[in-house]
Amino acid sequence: SQQGEEDPQALSIQEGENATMNCSYKTSINNLQWYRQNSGRGLVHLILIRSNEREKHSGRLRVTLDTSKKSSSLLITASRAADTASYFCATLLSGGYNKLIFGAGTRLAVHP
Amino acid sequence: GAGVSQSPSNKVTEKGKDVELRCDPISGHTALYWYRQSLGQGLEFLIYFQGNSAPDKSGLPSDRFSAERTGGSVSTLTIQRTQQEDSAVYLCASSPDLLAGGIGELFFGEGSRLTVL
């Protein structure tokens, strides 16, 4: 079963707008990562947030983590058409496991 | 190249045939993962190798699936007696030594698209 679930499944916005994607998970984690995928092929790592962190920034990306609610959000500010892709959260379970479990993803479309 | 390399990039086979998919991880990366992604879906974990430890095979969907990693580097995923439901993109990823507390960033290959007719 999926550990992480993204919401929404699909998001359509205009260039310049902000895009927010959410991820919920079920069990305790060591870290949570966000990845981007273009055209159904290889994934690219965007950002990693550890379980003892609450917020991280990288360029136009902002990630938050709320371990009490078992949820994370990815914010892309000032979106561009080139941000159009699928975005996945992945959770690394705590307890010595190194299995990185991916959610179903959010498909983001940014229109010029 | 410096990235994760997978071959073949596309494979079309007939139901019942065996297939082998290859993954060359980034040199020096000790962790190697195989995932499967069906059209429009998320990634399904298959198997994980870490150094010389026994692999975590908990995601393999049936005994028709097997994987090995030779010399701590190249990995081969084998699917025997392929079925149509095996059609998917098979993604390989590698990662360097464990961070304190667990795996960090995964580096993905471009995947092998398998079509079983």
Side-chain angles (χ1 to χ4, degrees), chain A residues 30-33 35 45 47-53 56 90 92-100, chain B residues 28-31 33 48 50 94-107:
Chain A
N30 181 294
N31 68 53
L32 185 146
Q33 304 178 32
Y35 288 79
H45 181 266
I47 198 164
L48 179 154
I49 187 165
R50 300 181 193 278
S51 60
N52 61 353
E53 297 176 312
K56 285 190 82 169
L92 182 68
L93 303 183
S94 60
Y97 303 101
N98 285 302
K99 188 187 306 184
L100 197 61
Chain B
H29 281 194
T30 59
Y33 294 78
Y48 159 67
Q50 176 62 52
S94 69
S95 188
D97 281 345
L98 296 177
L99 301 175
I103 282 289
E105 174 182 357
L106 297 192
F107 295 80

Short mmCIF file of all heavy atoms in Angstrom, two decimals, chain A residues 30-33 35 45 47-53 56 90 92-100, chain B residues 28-31 33 48 50 94-107:
data_model
loop_
_atom_site.label_atom_id
_atom_site.label_comp_id
_atom_site.label_asym_id
_atom_site.label_seq_id
_atom_site.Cartn_x
_atom_site.Cartn_y
_atom_site.Cartn_z
N ASN A 30 11.82 8.93 8.67
CA ASN A 30 13.15 9.47 8.92
C ASN A 30 13.33 10.77 8.14
O ASN A 30 13.83 11.76 8.66
CB ASN A 30 14.19 8.44 8.50
CG ASN A 30 15.60 8.89 8.74
OD1 ASN A 30 16.06 9.84 8.11
ND2 ASN A 30 16.29 8.24 9.65
N ASN A 31 12.94 10.72 6.87
CA ASN A 31 12.94 11.94 6.08
C ASN A 31 11.87 11.86 5.00
O ASN A 31 11.30 10.78 4.75
CB ASN A 31 14.32 12.25 5.46
CG ASN A 31 14.77 11.26 4.40
OD1 ASN A 31 14.06 11.00 3.43
ND2 ASN A 31 15.96 10.71 4.57
N LEU A 32 11.57 12.98 4.38
CA LEU A 32 10.59 13.04 3.31
C LEU A 32 11.25 13.81 2.16
O LEU A 32 11.92 14.82 2.37
CB LEU A 32 9.31 13.74 3.77
CG LEU A 32 8.13 13.79 2.80
CD1 LEU A 32 6.81 13.71 3.53
CD2 LEU A 32 8.18 15.03 1.90
N GLN A 33 11.07 13.29 0.96
CA GLN A 33 11.71 13.88 -0.21
C GLN A 33 10.67 14.19 -1.27
O GLN A 33 9.65 13.50 -1.38
CB GLN A 33 12.75 12.90 -0.77
CG GLN A 33 13.79 12.48 0.25
CD GLN A 33 14.79 11.48 -0.28
OE1 GLN A 33 15.12 11.49 -1.46
NE2 GLN A 33 15.30 10.61 0.59
N TYR A 35 10.24 14.77 -5.50
CA TYR A 35 10.86 14.52 -6.79
C TYR A 35 9.96 15.06 -7.89
O TYR A 35 8.74 15.17 -7.73
CB TYR A 35 11.07 13.01 -7.03
CG TYR A 35 12.17 12.40 -6.20
CD1 TYR A 35 11.96 12.07 -4.87
CD2 TYR A 35 13.42 12.16 -6.75
CE1 TYR A 35 12.96 11.51 -4.10
CE2 TYR A 35 14.45 11.59 -6.00
CZ TYR A 35 14.20 11.28 -4.67
OH TYR A 35 15.21 10.73 -3.92
N HIS A 45 15.51 14.58 -8.13
CA HIS A 45 15.35 14.98 -6.74
C HIS A 45 15.25 16.50 -6.63
O HIS A 45 16.02 17.23 -7.26
CB HIS A 45 16.54 14.48 -5.94
CG HIS A 45 16.48 14.79 -4.48
ND1 HIS A 45 17.09 15.91 -3.94
CD2 HIS A 45 15.89 14.16 -3.46
CE1 HIS A 45 16.88 15.93 -2.65
NE2 HIS A 45 16.15 14.87 -2.32
N ILE A 47 14.16 18.18 -3.23
CA ILE A 47 14.46 18.65 -1.89
C ILE A 47 14.20 17.53 -0.89
O ILE A 47 13.33 16.68 -1.10
CB ILE A 47 13.63 19.91 -1.56
CG1 ILE A 47 14.21 20.69 -0.39
CG2 ILE A 47 12.17 19.59 -1.39
CD1 ILE A 47 13.67 22.11 -0.29
N LEU A 48 14.97 17.51 0.19
CA LEU A 48 14.82 16.54 1.27
C LEU A 48 14.63 17.29 2.57
O LEU A 48 15.35 18.27 2.84
CB LEU A 48 16.08 15.65 1.35
CG LEU A 48 16.16 14.57 2.42
CD1 LEU A 48 17.11 13.45 1.95
CD2 LEU A 48 16.65 15.10 3.76
N ILE A 49 13.67 16.85 3.36
CA ILE A 49 13.46 17.46 4.67
C ILE A 49 13.48 16.34 5.71
O ILE A 49 12.83 15.30 5.54
CB ILE A 49 12.15 18.28 4.70
CG1 ILE A 49 12.03 19.05 6.03
CG2 ILE A 49 10.91 17.43 4.42
CD1 ILE A 49 10.97 20.15 5.99
N ARG A 50 14.24 16.52 6.77
CA ARG A 50 14.36 15.51 7.80
C ARG A 50 13.21 15.62 8.79
O ARG A 50 12.59 16.68 8.92
CB ARG A 50 15.70 15.65 8.51
CG ARG A 50 16.90 15.51 7.60
CD ARG A 50 18.20 15.64 8.38
NE ARG A 50 19.34 15.80 7.49
CZ ARG A 50 19.95 14.80 6.90
NH1 ARG A 50 19.53 13.56 7.09
NH2 ARG A 50 20.99 15.03 6.10
N SER A 51 13.01 14.58 9.56
CA SER A 51 11.88 14.53 10.47
C SER A 51 11.98 15.58 11.57
O SER A 51 10.95 15.97 12.15
CB SER A 51 11.74 13.14 11.09
OG SER A 51 12.91 12.81 11.81
N ASN A 52 13.17 16.07 11.86
CA ASN A 52 13.31 17.09 12.91
C ASN A 52 13.33 18.52 12.34
O ASN A 52 13.60 19.47 13.06
CB ASN A 52 14.58 16.85 13.72
CG ASN A 52 15.85 16.93 12.90
OD1 ASN A 52 15.79 17.03 11.67
ND2 ASN A 52 16.98 16.87 13.55
N GLU A 53 13.05 18.64 11.05
CA GLU A 53 12.97 19.95 10.41
C GLU A 53 11.52 20.29 10.12
O GLU A 53 10.69 19.40 9.91
CB GLU A 53 13.80 19.97 9.11
CG GLU A 53 15.28 19.74 9.33
CD GLU A 53 16.07 19.65 8.05
OE1 GLU A 53 15.63 18.92 7.12
OE2 GLU A 53 17.12 20.31 7.96
N LYS A 56 11.99 23.98 4.70
CA LYS A 56 13.22 24.16 3.92
C LYS A 56 12.90 24.90 2.64
O LYS A 56 11.80 24.80 2.10
CB LYS A 56 13.86 22.81 3.57
CG LYS A 56 14.55 22.14 4.73
CD LYS A 56 15.35 20.95 4.29
CE LYS A 56 16.70 21.35 3.73
NZ LYS A 56 17.58 20.18 3.54
N ALA A 90 8.15 11.24 -1.38
CA ALA A 90 8.68 9.92 -1.04
C ALA A 90 9.09 9.95 0.42
O ALA A 90 9.73 10.91 0.87
CB ALA A 90 9.86 9.56 -1.92
N LEU A 92 10.91 8.04 3.75
CA LEU A 92 11.84 7.03 4.24
C LEU A 92 11.38 6.66 5.64
O LEU A 92 11.39 7.50 6.55
CB LEU A 92 13.26 7.58 4.27
CG LEU A 92 14.33 6.59 4.72
CD1 LEU A 92 14.50 5.50 3.68
CD2 LEU A 92 15.65 7.29 4.97
N LEU A 93 10.98 5.40 5.82
CA LEU A 93 10.45 4.99 7.11
C LEU A 93 11.54 5.03 8.18
O LEU A 93 12.71 4.76 7.92
CB LEU A 93 9.88 3.57 7.00
CG LEU A 93 8.80 3.36 5.94
CD1 LEU A 93 8.28 1.93 6.01
CD2 LEU A 93 7.67 4.35 6.08
N SER A 94 11.13 5.35 9.39
CA SER A 94 12.07 5.33 10.50
C SER A 94 12.24 3.90 10.99
O SER A 94 11.51 2.99 10.59
CB SER A 94 11.57 6.23 11.63
OG SER A 94 10.32 5.79 12.10
N GLY A 95 13.21 3.67 11.82
CA GLY A 95 13.41 2.33 12.38
C GLY A 95 14.44 1.50 11.66
O GLY A 95 14.44 0.27 11.78
N GLY A 96 15.32 2.13 10.92
CA GLY A 96 16.40 1.39 10.29
C GLY A 96 16.08 0.85 8.91
O GLY A 96 16.86 0.13 8.31
N TYR A 97 14.90 1.18 8.39
CA TYR A 97 14.56 0.74 7.05
C TYR A 97 15.07 1.75 6.03
O TYR A 97 15.07 2.94 6.28
CB TYR A 97 13.04 0.59 6.91
CG TYR A 97 12.43 -0.35 7.92
CD1 TYR A 97 11.78 0.14 9.04
CD2 TYR A 97 12.50 -1.73 7.74
CE1 TYR A 97 11.23 -0.72 9.97
CE2 TYR A 97 11.95 -2.58 8.66
CZ TYR A 97 11.32 -2.08 9.77
OH TYR A 97 10.78 -2.93 10.68
N ASN A 98 15.45 1.29 4.88
CA ASN A 98 15.91 2.21 3.84
C ASN A 98 15.09 2.09 2.58
O ASN A 98 15.56 2.37 1.50
CB ASN A 98 17.39 1.98 3.56
CG ASN A 98 18.24 2.56 4.67
OD1 ASN A 98 18.16 3.74 4.98
ND2 ASN A 98 19.03 1.71 5.31
N LYS A 99 13.85 1.70 2.74
CA LYS A 99 12.93 1.61 1.63
C LYS A 99 12.28 2.96 1.45
O LYS A 99 11.56 3.43 2.33
CB LYS A 99 11.89 0.53 1.93
CG LYS A 99 10.97 0.20 0.78
CD LYS A 99 9.86 -0.74 1.20
CE LYS A 99 10.34 -2.00 1.86
NZ LYS A 99 9.23 -2.93 2.16
N LEU A 100 12.49 3.59 0.32
CA LEU A 100 11.90 4.89 0.03
C LEU A 100 10.59 4.65 -0.72
O LEU A 100 10.61 4.10 -1.82
CB LEU A 100 12.87 5.72 -0.81
CG LEU A 100 12.61 7.23 -0.89
CD1 LEU A 100 12.69 7.86 0.49
CD2 LEU A 100 13.61 7.88 -1.82
N GLY B 28 30.49 4.17 -7.28
CA GLY B 28 30.68 4.46 -5.86
C GLY B 28 29.40 4.49 -5.05
O GLY B 28 29.45 4.50 -3.81
N HIS B 29 28.25 4.48 -5.71
CA HIS B 29 26.98 4.45 -4.97
C HIS B 29 26.75 3.05 -4.42
O HIS B 29 26.77 2.06 -5.15
CB HIS B 29 25.83 4.86 -5.88
CG HIS B 29 25.73 6.34 -6.06
ND1 HIS B 29 24.60 6.93 -6.60
CD2 HIS B 29 26.58 7.34 -5.77
CE1 HIS B 29 24.79 8.25 -6.63
NE2 HIS B 29 25.98 8.51 -6.14
N THR B 30 26.49 2.98 -3.12
CA THR B 30 26.35 1.67 -2.49
C THR B 30 24.91 1.16 -2.52
O THR B 30 24.67 -0.03 -2.40
CB THR B 30 26.83 1.73 -1.03
OG1 THR B 30 26.06 2.71 -0.33
CG2 THR B 30 28.30 2.10 -0.97
N ALA B 31 23.95 2.04 -2.61
CA ALA B 31 22.54 1.64 -2.60
C ALA B 31 21.98 1.65 -4.01
O ALA B 31 22.26 2.56 -4.80
CB ALA B 31 21.73 2.58 -1.71
N TYR B 33 18.19 0.76 -6.11
CA TYR B 33 16.76 0.46 -6.02
C TYR B 33 16.20 0.15 -7.41
O TYR B 33 16.61 0.75 -8.40
CB TYR B 33 15.98 1.67 -5.50
CG TYR B 33 16.25 2.08 -4.08
CD1 TYR B 33 17.39 2.80 -3.73
CD2 TYR B 33 15.33 1.78 -3.07
CE1 TYR B 33 17.62 3.21 -2.43
CE2 TYR B 33 15.55 2.19 -1.76
CZ TYR B 33 16.70 2.90 -1.46
OH TYR B 33 16.92 3.30 -0.14
N TYR B 48 15.68 -3.56 -3.15
CA TYR B 48 16.70 -2.61 -2.70
C TYR B 48 17.96 -3.37 -2.32
O TYR B 48 17.91 -4.36 -1.60
CB TYR B 48 16.15 -1.83 -1.51
CG TYR B 48 17.16 -1.18 -0.59
CD1 TYR B 48 17.93 -0.12 -1.04
CD2 TYR B 48 17.29 -1.60 0.73
CE1 TYR B 48 18.84 0.49 -0.19
CE2 TYR B 48 18.19 -0.99 1.58
CZ TYR B 48 18.96 0.06 1.13
OH TYR B 48 19.86 0.67 1.97
N GLN B 50 21.90 -2.79 -0.70
CA GLN B 50 22.76 -1.88 0.05
C GLN B 50 24.07 -2.60 0.35
O GLN B 50 24.10 -3.50 1.18
CB GLN B 50 22.10 -1.44 1.34
CG GLN B 50 22.98 -0.56 2.23
CD GLN B 50 23.40 0.74 1.60
OE1 GLN B 50 22.55 1.49 1.10
NE2 GLN B 50 24.69 1.03 1.60
N SER B 94 20.13 4.93 -7.82
CA SER B 94 21.23 4.63 -6.90
C SER B 94 21.43 5.80 -5.95
O SER B 94 20.93 6.92 -6.20
CB SER B 94 22.52 4.32 -7.66
OG SER B 94 23.04 5.46 -8.32
N SER B 95 22.11 5.52 -4.86
CA SER B 95 22.34 6.53 -3.85
C SER B 95 23.69 6.27 -3.19
O SER B 95 24.09 5.12 -3.04
CB SER B 95 21.21 6.49 -2.80
OG SER B 95 21.30 7.58 -1.90
N PRO B 96 24.38 7.33 -2.80
CA PRO B 96 25.67 7.14 -2.14
C PRO B 96 25.49 6.60 -0.73
O PRO B 96 24.38 6.27 -0.32
CB PRO B 96 26.28 8.54 -2.15
CG PRO B 96 25.13 9.47 -2.26
CD PRO B 96 24.07 8.74 -3.03
N ASP B 97 26.58 6.54 0.00
CA ASP B 97 26.53 5.99 1.35
C ASP B 97 25.41 6.61 2.16
O ASP B 97 25.03 7.75 1.97
CB ASP B 97 27.87 6.24 2.06
CG ASP B 97 28.91 5.24 1.62
OD1 ASP B 97 28.54 4.23 1.02
OD2 ASP B 97 30.09 5.49 1.89
N LEU B 98 24.94 5.84 3.10
CA LEU B 98 23.86 6.30 3.95
C LEU B 98 24.23 7.58 4.67
O LEU B 98 25.34 7.72 5.18
CB LEU B 98 23.51 5.23 4.99
CG LEU B 98 22.98 3.91 4.47
CD1 LEU B 98 22.78 2.96 5.64
CD2 LEU B 98 21.68 4.12 3.73
N LEU B 99 23.27 8.50 4.74
CA LEU B 99 23.43 9.63 5.62
C LEU B 99 23.26 9.13 7.05
O LEU B 99 22.76 8.03 7.27
CB LEU B 99 22.35 10.68 5.33
CG LEU B 99 22.26 11.26 3.93
CD1 LEU B 99 21.05 12.17 3.83
CD2 LEU B 99 23.51 12.01 3.58
N ALA B 100 23.63 9.93 7.99
CA ALA B 100 23.34 9.56 9.37
C ALA B 100 21.83 9.43 9.50
O ALA B 100 21.10 10.38 9.32
CB ALA B 100 23.86 10.64 10.31
N GLY B 101 21.37 8.21 9.72
CA GLY B 101 19.94 8.04 9.88
C GLY B 101 19.20 7.58 8.64
O GLY B 101 18.00 7.41 8.68
N GLY B 102 19.87 7.39 7.52
CA GLY B 102 19.13 6.81 6.42
C GLY B 102 19.49 7.36 5.07
O GLY B 102 20.29 8.27 4.92
N ILE B 103 18.83 6.80 4.09
CA ILE B 103 19.10 7.14 2.69
C ILE B 103 18.71 8.58 2.40
O ILE B 103 17.71 9.09 2.90
CB ILE B 103 18.32 6.17 1.78
CG1 ILE B 103 19.05 4.83 1.71
CG2 ILE B 103 18.13 6.73 0.38
CD1 ILE B 103 20.33 4.85 0.95
N GLY B 104 19.52 9.26 1.60
CA GLY B 104 19.21 10.59 1.12
C GLY B 104 18.70 10.55 -0.29
O GLY B 104 17.89 9.70 -0.66
N GLU B 105 19.20 11.43 -1.10
CA GLU B 105 18.73 11.61 -2.48
C GLU B 105 18.99 10.37 -3.33
O GLU B 105 20.06 9.76 -3.27
CB GLU B 105 19.47 12.79 -3.09
CG GLU B 105 19.21 13.03 -4.56
CD GLU B 105 20.02 14.19 -5.10
OE1 GLU B 105 20.73 14.83 -4.29
OE2 GLU B 105 19.94 14.45 -6.31
N LEU B 106 17.97 10.00 -4.14
CA LEU B 106 18.14 8.95 -5.13
C LEU B 106 18.40 9.60 -6.49
O LEU B 106 17.79 10.62 -6.83
CB LEU B 106 16.88 8.08 -5.24
CG LEU B 106 16.47 7.28 -4.02
CD1 LEU B 106 15.39 6.27 -4.41
CD2 LEU B 106 17.64 6.56 -3.40
N PHE B 107 19.27 8.96 -7.26
CA PHE B 107 19.57 9.40 -8.62
C PHE B 107 18.98 8.34 -9.55
O PHE B 107 19.37 7.18 -9.50
CB PHE B 107 21.09 9.51 -8.83
CG PHE B 107 21.73 10.57 -7.99
CD1 PHE B 107 22.03 10.34 -6.66
CD2 PHE B 107 22.05 11.81 -8.53
CE1 PHE B 107 22.62 11.32 -5.86
CE2 PHE B 107 22.65 12.79 -7.76
CZ PHE B 107 22.93 12.54 -6.41
#
